[in-house]
Amino acid sequence: MEKRLIIFVLLSFLILQLATIYRQKTSPSKPKGQTTQTTGTLTAATPEPAQIRQAEPISTPAPRPSAPLPPVETIKFSNQVFEIEFSPRGAVPVRWDIVDPRFVVEDGTTTGGKPREALIDPHLQEIAGGTMPFQLVLRERNAGFHNEVNQEIYANTVTRKDGMTGPRFESNRTASGLKVAKSWLFSDKRFTGQFIVDITNTTSSTLAFDSGLGGLGVVLGPGLGTPDSVKGGVMSWAVVDVVLKSGNQFFYERLSKAGAGQTYDNRLTWGGLQSLYFIGVLIPPDGAPFFGAQAMLNRDLIPTVTSEKKLSLFPNVELYSEPFEIGPGQTRSFTYQFYFGPKQAKVLTQADKDLGRTLDLRRVLFHDSWGWFRPIILFLMWMLDKFFVLTRSYGWSIILLTIFVRVLAFPLVQKGMKEQALMMEQQKKLKPYMDKINEKYKNDPQRKQQEIFKLYKEHNMNPLGMFKGCIWMFIQIPIFVALYKLLSQDIDLRGEPFLWFSDLTQPDQILMFGFTIPWLNWSALNLLPIITAGTQMLASKYTQTTVPTDPQQAEMQKMMVWFMPLFILVLTYGFPSGLMLYWLVSNIWQVLQQLWVNKHIHGPKKKLPPAAAGAKG
């Protein structure tokens, strides 16, 4: 495109990089020798006095058996939102599916005739002694781990409390003298519930538990769901982060290398895992925050569940209570709240615990997200919901939201376009004199520039006036980034068709090639990015900010009219169709507005002198 867009792209990139550097410098520093990537933070207006302190990983991990254990028959539980299967061995869920039709994409993948969204990868149970969600990490102080609690066969019953129902599992007395009970309580229509652990000391001695990070550890993960549940263009953005909350601060951990780990020895309000559309967290009892946490990647997942390349999608996090003691014959009970469900604003708000603030925190395109986008994102999300109530179509809602944003920006855009049109008009009037200067000083570039600036000054023309037309583009940067975040991760758009799009969160694939184009990695014909690139070409043609002063500059402008749309086509070819729909409608609006400006706004009718000083010999 013309200079205006080039400057816009370059300065936007610079702003993003500066913001990233700032976040890196102001985020808590990590201890030396760690292998994890940078952790993003969001700090509220009134941060907690205590800051996150990160410690070295604990030296002794929990042991795991190497030999496969015989299979056992699973116990099934279901309500209106979940279908879950528990294994009596270790009393852990081996399948946890969302079946609420509001949050399940009906793509032909069903189990038992019902579409579902898996929150636990079913292949995890195929690993001999592998880590499973809700396993316990229990270690006596100055002694060994009680890993037998994850291998015992538990007897199961049904438990009911406060209108909630679920399975209860009880172990026999282990060789070390412990008895463990694990209970889950679910409400019928909510994604929240309770997880209760009872530990009984049947020995004649007091037992003290401290693993180095805390007393009782509860495991979440590995991963959240399956990578195959995120398809198409958004697959490249599929990530699973460990997410932790301490006071008013949020912390993320994204591990990339097998065996990598990170520990936190601070007090945590809650902790868990989040993916593109779902989140699973464990919340300790009120007034008793988690004592610490550990995030890690397990190499044993390769190749049964995943590959080295996708291992980062399967982190697990251990959340620890404070160290504790149990006297002879006593029972220590731990009651946790949990949320396993969609990242939808309304549902997360109902769950409370500040879970709604995770909506705009995950890292999608840029290195980190910034808290000051949050009000814009929430406002745009609210407007999108209002338009959906009106149209009952998210496609039309995106179109109306785009028009709404363009109307809000209209005064700034109109002012910028007016300045741009006046500049162009003045440049056209001065072009004969510019041609003479170019011809006369074609071999003296420095003198040519001096004469051009002198000509501008004589006719009261600001040589930097072209930049005034860029102001409205900078105003739109936060709006575009907010819309990008909203339209690329809004769970309400999943599976929503519009026109020829089958899913607004996926590229609008109208034809599969049957092969992949090298370098570009294109395997289907996506029509919407091609149409959008065409409108971008029209926009660049009608919104040029300068009149070429020489043939070389004219050729450069022509090249940019073609180059920038092609660059955008390659960049956005795999974008979700909902985001591309916004971009297309915004481009069409810009072209129409520019045509109107070019037709109705003209520069001042000034009579130029018969000769310009810069053109005289």
Side-chain angles (χ1 to χ4, degrees):
M1 198 180 282
E2 71 289 345
K3 290 182 179 179
R4 180 169 61 91
L5 184 56
I6 299 174
I7 295 170
F8 166 68
V9 172
L10 293 177
L11 288 181
S12 299
F13 179 76
L14 178 61
I15 291 171
L16 295 175
Q17 292 303 310
L18 290 175
T20 296
I21 294 172
Y22 172 78
R23 298 295 289 178
Q24 289 176 332
K25 289 184 177 296
T26 57
S27 61
S29 59
K30 289 194 171 190
K32 296 180 180 180
Q34 292 183 173
T35 58
T36 56
Q37 297 178 1
T38 304
T39 299
T41 67
L42 170 69
T43 305
T46 309
E48 293 289 306
Q51 299 295 318
I52 287 289
R53 294 182 297 108
Q54 298 175 351
E56 292 295 330
I58 57 177
S59 58
T60 309
R64 296 175 53 248
S66 57
L69 299 172
V72 293
E73 185 175 354
T74 59
I75 289 88
K76 297 182 180 180
F77 172 85
S78 64
N79 60 13
Q80 294 190 31
V81 296
F82 293 133
E83 283 192 3
I84 307 173
E85 288 187 19
F86 293 90
S87 170
R89 174 170 286 112
V92 293
V94 294
R95 185 172 66 84
W96 191 311
D97 296 340
I98 291 178
V99 294
D100 188 330
R102 296 175 298 167
F103 306 108
V104 176
V105 177
E106 298 192 27
D107 58 358
T109 303
T110 62
T111 302
K114 182 182 294 186
R116 59 189 65 245
E117 188 76 38
L119 296 183
I120 295 178
D121 194 309
H123 296 97
L124 289 174
Q125 58 185 310
E126 299 175 8
I127 302 175
T131 302
M132 293 297 296
F134 292 95
Q135 280 188 349
L136 304 181
V137 182
L138 198 60
R139 181 188 186 185
E140 281 190 68
R141 189 176 297 148
N142 302 321
F145 286 92
H146 288 270
N147 202 47
E148 71 275 7
V149 299
N150 297 316
Q151 304 169 27
E152 285 285 322
I153 302 295
Y154 288 64
N156 71 284
T157 57
V158 176
T159 182
R160 293 178 176 84
K161 180 183 178 182
D162 299 331
M164 297 186 291
T165 305
R168 175 179 172 83
F169 296 87
E170 296 183 31
S171 75
N172 295 316
R173 182 183 186 277
T174 66
S176 57
L178 294 181
K179 290 186 67 175
V180 177
K182 299 165 73 172
S183 305
W184 283 265
L185 290 168
F186 300 89
S187 56
D188 196 40
K189 299 180 181 180
R190 299 173 71 89
F191 294 93
T192 54
Q194 290 185 2
F195 173 57
I196 305 169
V197 180
D198 299 310
I199 303 174
T200 302
N201 177 7
T202 66
T203 71
S204 58
S205 304
T206 297
L207 302 179
F209 295 94
D210 186 356
S211 68
L213 271 176
L216 174 66
V218 180
V219 177
L220 294 185
L224 186 67
T226 62
D228 293 337
S229 63
V230 183
K231 303 180 179 66
V234 294
M235 180 59 202
S236 59
W237 304 332
V239 294
V240 177
D241 292 329
V242 174
V243 56
L244 306 168
K245 182 175 185 288
S246 177
N248 288 326
Q249 293 182 311
F250 288 81
F251 292 82
Y252 291 90
E253 197 64 51
R254 183 174 303 169
L255 307 176
S256 59
K257 295 182 180 179
Q262 173 66 46
T263 59
Y264 297 80
D265 65 348
N266 57 286
R267 306 301 179 263
L268 299 172
T269 311
W270 50 254
L273 301 167
Q274 69 167 356
S275 62
L276 187 62
Y277 297 118
F278 298 94
I279 185 170
V281 299
L282 197 64
I283 305 162
D286 292 338
F290 286 121
F291 196 74
Q294 179 171 239
M296 63 193 72
L297 284 179
N298 193 337
R299 180 180 295 275
D300 293 336
L301 298 174
I302 306 171
T304 306
V305 173
T306 187
S307 62
E308 179 85 31
K309 184 178 180 181
K310 296 181 180 179
L311 184 61
S312 61
L313 300 177
F314 291 90
N316 63 275
V317 58
E318 299 171 358
L319 302 164
Y320 287 88
S321 71
E322 64 179 354
F324 63 94
E325 295 182 351
I326 307 178
Q330 293 182 346
T331 298
R332 179 67 183 266
S333 183
F334 301 84
T335 300
Y336 305 95
Q337 307 293 320
F338 64 79
Y339 176 90
F340 274 72
K343 292 169 62 178
Q344 186 195 58
K346 181 168 60 177
V347 178
L348 290 174
T349 301
Q350 292 174 351
D352 201 13
K353 304 299 181 183
D354 240 2
L355 292 176
R357 290 178 62 190
T358 62
L359 279 172
D360 59 301
L361 298 180
R362 64 172 308 282
R363 296 166 280 191
V364 180
L365 175 64
F366 310 115
H367 183 273
D368 276 309
S369 298
W370 310 303
W372 48 276
F373 280 122
R374 175 178 173 75
I376 303 175
I377 294 174
L378 294 181
F379 175 71
L380 294 175
M381 186 180 297
W382 181 78
M383 288 302 304
L384 186 66
D385 289 340
K386 293 301 180 183
F387 287 134
F388 179 76
V389 171
L390 178 66
T391 64
R392 309 310 300 176
S393 165
Y394 276 108
W396 285 111
S397 298
I398 291 173
I399 293 175
L400 291 179
L401 181 65
T402 308
I403 295 174
F404 173 79
V405 169
R406 297 297 303 210
V407 169
L408 283 183
F410 184 84
L412 288 172
V413 175
Q414 190 73 359
K415 180 176 176 59
M417 287 184 171
K418 183 178 179 180
E419 294 284 351
Q420 175 182 307
L422 293 174
M423 182 75 177
M424 289 285 289
E425 189 75 14
Q426 288 178 305
Q427 287 182 329
K428 288 179 181 178
K429 292 178 180 179
L430 294 179
K431 191 175 187 303
Y433 304 99
M434 298 285 291
D435 291 342
K436 291 180 180 179
I437 292 175
N438 287 325
E439 178 63 27
K440 185 172 183 178
Y441 301 107
K442 60 183 178 180
N443 296 322
D444 189 352
Q446 184 175 0
R447 179 68 184 278
K448 181 172 70 172
Q449 291 298 321
Q450 292 174 351
E451 294 298 329
I452 290 175
F453 275 99
K454 185 177 180 181
L455 179 65
Y456 284 164
K457 185 176 181 180
E458 288 179 357
H459 295 281
N460 297 319
M461 183 175 171
N462 182 4
L464 301 179
M466 67 183 71
F467 294 104
K468 292 183 179 180
C470 301
I471 295 176
W472 69 272
M473 300 189 73
F474 289 106
I475 296 296
Q476 290 189 111
I477 290 177
I479 297 177
F480 176 78
V481 173
L483 280 169
Y484 182 95
K485 288 175 169 291
L486 171 62
L487 298 179
S488 63
Q489 62 178 307
D490 190 344
I491 192 172
D492 290 326
L493 303 183
R494 294 177 75 236
E496 287 290 324
F498 183 67
L499 300 179
W500 67 88
F501 325 148
S502 60
D503 187 338
L504 286 169
T505 64
Q506 301 291 332
D508 64 316
Q509 301 174 345
I510 62 173
L511 176 66
M512 300 302 297
F513 295 149
F515 59 90
T516 300
I517 299 178
W519 302 105
L520 295 175
N521 199 31
W522 294 354
S523 59
L525 175 61
N526 302 340
L527 184 58
L528 199 54
I530 298 174
I531 299 175
T532 303
T535 59
Q536 195 74 50
M537 192 175 299
L538 287 176
S540 65
K541 178 180 179 181
Y542 291 118
T543 58
Q544 291 182 358
T545 57
T546 59
V547 175
T549 58
D550 54 58
Q552 184 178 3
Q553 187 179 17
E555 288 299 318
M556 178 66 70
Q557 282 195 358
K558 289 181 181 179
M559 184 188 74
M560 295 309 297
V561 167
W562 289 93
F563 172 75
M564 286 305 296
L566 290 176
F567 172 76
I568 291 173
L569 171 64
V570 175
L571 178 68
T572 65
Y573 196 78
F575 276 19
S577 54
L579 181 61
M580 294 308 301
L581 182 62
Y582 158 76
W583 201 325
L584 173 61
V585 175
S586 184
N587 278 354
I588 294 174
W589 178 285
Q590 180 179 341
V591 169
L592 294 177
Q593 186 175 359
Q594 187 67 59
L595 287 174
W596 188 88
V597 168
N598 292 348
K599 181 177 180 181
H600 295 282
I601 299 180
H602 302 285
K605 302 294 185 181
K606 292 183 179 180
K607 185 176 180 181
L608 298 178
K616 294 179 180 180

